[in-house]
Amino acid sequence: MGIKDIHNVYFIGIGGIGMSALARYFKFIGKNVAGYDKTETPLTKDLVDLGIQVHYEDDLELVSKVYLDPDNTLVVYTPAVPNDHGEYNYFMDHGFQVKKRSEVLGLITKDTFCFAVAGTHGKTTTSCILAHLLKETGTPITAFLGGISEDFNSNFLLEGSEYSVVEADEFDRSFLRLSPNVACITSMDADHLDIYGNSEELQKSFRDFVKRIKPNGKLFVRNGLPLEGTTYGIEDGSDYCIRNIKIDQGTYIFDLDSPEANLKSVRFNKPGRHNLLNGLVAYAMAIQAGSSPTSLADALATFKGVQRRFSYQIKNSDFVFIDDYAHHPTEIDAAFQAVSEMHPGKNILAVFQPHLFSRTRDFVDEFAKSLSNFPSLLLLEIYPARENPIEGVTSQWLLDKITSPRKKLIRKSELISEIIAQNPHVLITLGAGDIGLEVPKIKKELSHVHKKQ
């Protein structure tokens, strides 16, 4: 069944960030779209506002009959759906075409000039920057993003169908369904060990991904990774290289050397050296679409950011509140580097919600080391996501290993009162779980508190 033969698309796990982007795509091109998810979220509410039917119980009676015809219905599911899910098993047992999100992305993008962004960190920000650069330079693209771009206020962009931008997700080896023309790999740090078992298997999957690049395609790799490709880096002689970095009122100003041009005084507004690297490789990839270096540099300066990626919620002279998706030790290190560089000498309070019992178990010592960089820390209970508890793996276990002078394990219900009591100059919330749902509440309360002061 080709895309043109599909009339109805049903999603199991429609509220996921990647799944909802696909749902938007199919709705936009005129298909009937509906789906199930476990809980109602702002993402699912946005889908309902678009006219997409969403329900929150695993009950076939709630599925409209139009989606029960296997001849013209595509069923898309997320790997997080449990094997005993009733709707999933019905579709599997009754002759429906049932595909993972990554397979569908592969189908949609196979006839486009596909840009794929891979790596254990930085995929979403790099993809959003790349989509922004291509849009600003008039490239006809469709982009499926793993976060809400603040430039588009969406995780989906449709400006044409000649080019596509996708995140190449290593979880469950999903990225091996893609065949990109241009790809980048930002990082290969150990992660998803519940899937891969060890870091060697994870690295092998990235090498397998490289083999998926189309003939005469191009690979960009962060300098230092054990892969052959066009390199990018900071002050290290890479093929695409940032030099002479300065900071002016929270904005990076730097020179950018590349095979195409040597640019002076390029500006980029997202804090953190990791974000500079994300912007650099997005620029390098966008060059492959034929955009001019100077127009791309101008577009870099106007990139607003991605929700929950070092996103400023409050930025006053007396108080700053930043929210970040960091859920791996390397990402926490990057967030600490960014907040320390942009707000030196300030009293910084970090709030962290661990994500997954298995990840906490696998990297507990690395988490403890990274979190110990923050002088003040509030730790929440582990967000389980798709997992059941693991005996002995608790936030208290992690807290005991952290050496921060001021550290405390608290419940979410205590979060706002504890933040107010500590009265930091800079607050940063970190984590990939439902801590994101607390951010608007924190912002509202602290905006009120600091307005009164």
Side-chain angles (χ1 to χ4, degrees), residues 5-25:
D5 302 315
I6 298 166
H7 299 302
N8 314 302
V9 189
Y10 187 79
F11 288 84
I12 305 175
I14 196 169
I17 190 72
M19 293 280 278
S20 62
L22 271 181
R24 288 172 182 270
Y25 167 79

Side-chain angles (χ1 to χ4, degrees), residues 117-129 167 184 186-187 274-275 278 281 331:
V117 178
T120 45
H121 321 296
K123 289 188 295 294
T124 296
T125 301
T126 303
S127 299
C128 288
I129 299 171
E167 291 190 31
C184 77
T186 64
S187 52
H274 63 300
N275 279 322
N278 294 335
V281 73
E331 295 166 349

Side-chain angles (χ1 to χ4, degrees), residues 155-230:
N155 56 347
F156 172 65
L157 177 69
L158 182 54
E159 295 280 316
S161 57
E162 187 177 342
Y163 294 83
S164 61
V165 175
V166 299
E167 291 190 31
D169 190 0
E170 74 281 358
F171 175 74
D172 200 32
R173 297 176 173 84
S174 290
F175 57 180
L176 301 184
R177 303 284 186 176
L178 300 171
S179 297
N181 298 83
V182 176
C184 77
I185 296 178
T186 64
S187 52
M188 299 194 309
D189 294 317
D191 200 2
H192 305 302
L193 297 187
D194 54 327
I195 300 294
Y196 287 98
N198 56 59
S199 58
E200 289 76 18
E201 278 297 309
L202 176 69
Q203 293 198 6
K204 178 182 180 298
S205 74
F206 278 98
R207 293 193 294 272
D208 291 339
F209 169 69
V210 170
K211 297 173 185 175
R212 301 283 304 171
I213 298 173
K214 291 177 180 175
N216 302 315
K218 198 170 186 69
L219 173 67
F220 293 92
V221 297
R222 182 172 57 79
N223 200 7
L225 293 180
L227 295 168
E228 292 293 325
T230 301

Side-chain angles (χ1 to χ4, degrees), residues 29 57 62 83 154 262 323 343 353 356 397 403 413 434:
I29 65 172
E57 293 179 45
L62 299 175
N83 290 332
S154 178
N262 296 322
D323 180 44
H343 305 284
Q353 181 189 49
L356 297 178
W397 178 50
T403 60
S413 60
D434 61 2

Side-chain angles (χ1 to χ4, degrees), residues 97-142:
Q97 186 170 213
V98 182
K99 293 186 178 294
K100 289 183 181 179
R101 179 185 67 90
S102 55
E103 294 178 83
V104 179
L105 269 182
L107 284 174
I108 293 170
T109 60
K110 69 182 178 66
D111 294 325
T112 70
F113 188 99
C114 180
F115 294 96
V117 178
T120 45
H121 321 296
K123 289 188 295 294
T124 296
T125 301
T126 303
S127 299
C128 288
I129 299 171
L130 177 56
H132 171 72
L133 297 183
L134 293 172
K135 179 180 183 295
E136 290 298 296
T137 52
T139 306
I141 64 160
T142 301

Side-chain angles (χ1 to χ4, degrees), residues 186-368:
T186 64
S187 52
M188 299 194 309
D189 294 317
D191 200 2
H192 305 302
L193 297 187
D194 54 327
I195 300 294
Y196 287 98
N198 56 59
S199 58
E200 289 76 18
E201 278 297 309
L202 176 69
Q203 293 198 6
K204 178 182 180 298
S205 74
F206 278 98
R207 293 193 294 272
D208 291 339
F209 169 69
V210 170
K211 297 173 185 175
R212 301 283 304 171
I213 298 173
K214 291 177 180 175
N216 302 315
K218 198 170 186 69
L219 173 67
F220 293 92
V221 297
R222 182 172 57 79
N223 200 7
L225 293 180
L227 295 168
E228 292 293 325
T230 301
T231 58
Y232 67 97
I234 297 174
E235 300 282 9
D236 59 3
S238 296
D239 298 314
Y240 289 78
C241 191
I242 286 175
R243 298 187 301 106
N244 303 325
I245 299 171
K246 303 180 184 66
I247 299 174
D248 179 23
Q249 296 183 336
T251 295
Y252 285 119
I253 304 172
F254 54 89
D255 299 335
L256 196 165
D257 294 345
S258 72
E260 295 81 18
N262 296 322
L263 304 173
K264 303 292 185 184
S265 299
V266 179
R267 302 178 73 88
F268 188 65
N269 295 313
K270 293 306 295 179
R273 300 297 172 104
H274 63 300
N275 279 322
L276 271 180
L277 288 168
N278 294 335
L280 176 60
V281 73
Y283 165 91
M285 295 176 79
I287 287 281
Q288 308 309 306
S291 301
S292 76
T294 52
S295 62
L296 289 172
D298 290 343
L300 268 179
T302 63
F303 175 68
K304 293 179 182 177
V306 187
Q307 288 183 15
R308 303 219 63 230
R309 268 63 173 187
F310 210 89
S311 179
Y312 281 96
Q313 303 296 310
I314 302 173
K315 194 174 185 181
N316 299 329
S317 58
D318 66 325
F319 178 69
V320 171
F321 172 26
I322 300 160
D323 180 44
D324 194 86
Y325 192 68
H327 57 285
H328 183 281
T330 301
E331 295 166 349
I332 294 170
D333 288 340
F336 177 75
Q337 181 275 322
V339 73
S340 301
E341 183 175 57
M342 291 299 170
H343 305 284
K346 299 294 186 180
N347 171 25
I348 300 170
L349 171 63
V351 178
F352 179 58
Q353 181 189 49
H355 185 262
L356 297 178
F357 294 101
S358 60
R359 183 180 282 122
T360 305
R361 176 199 62 199
D362 293 339
F363 301 105
V364 65
D365 291 329
E366 291 87 347
F367 274 122

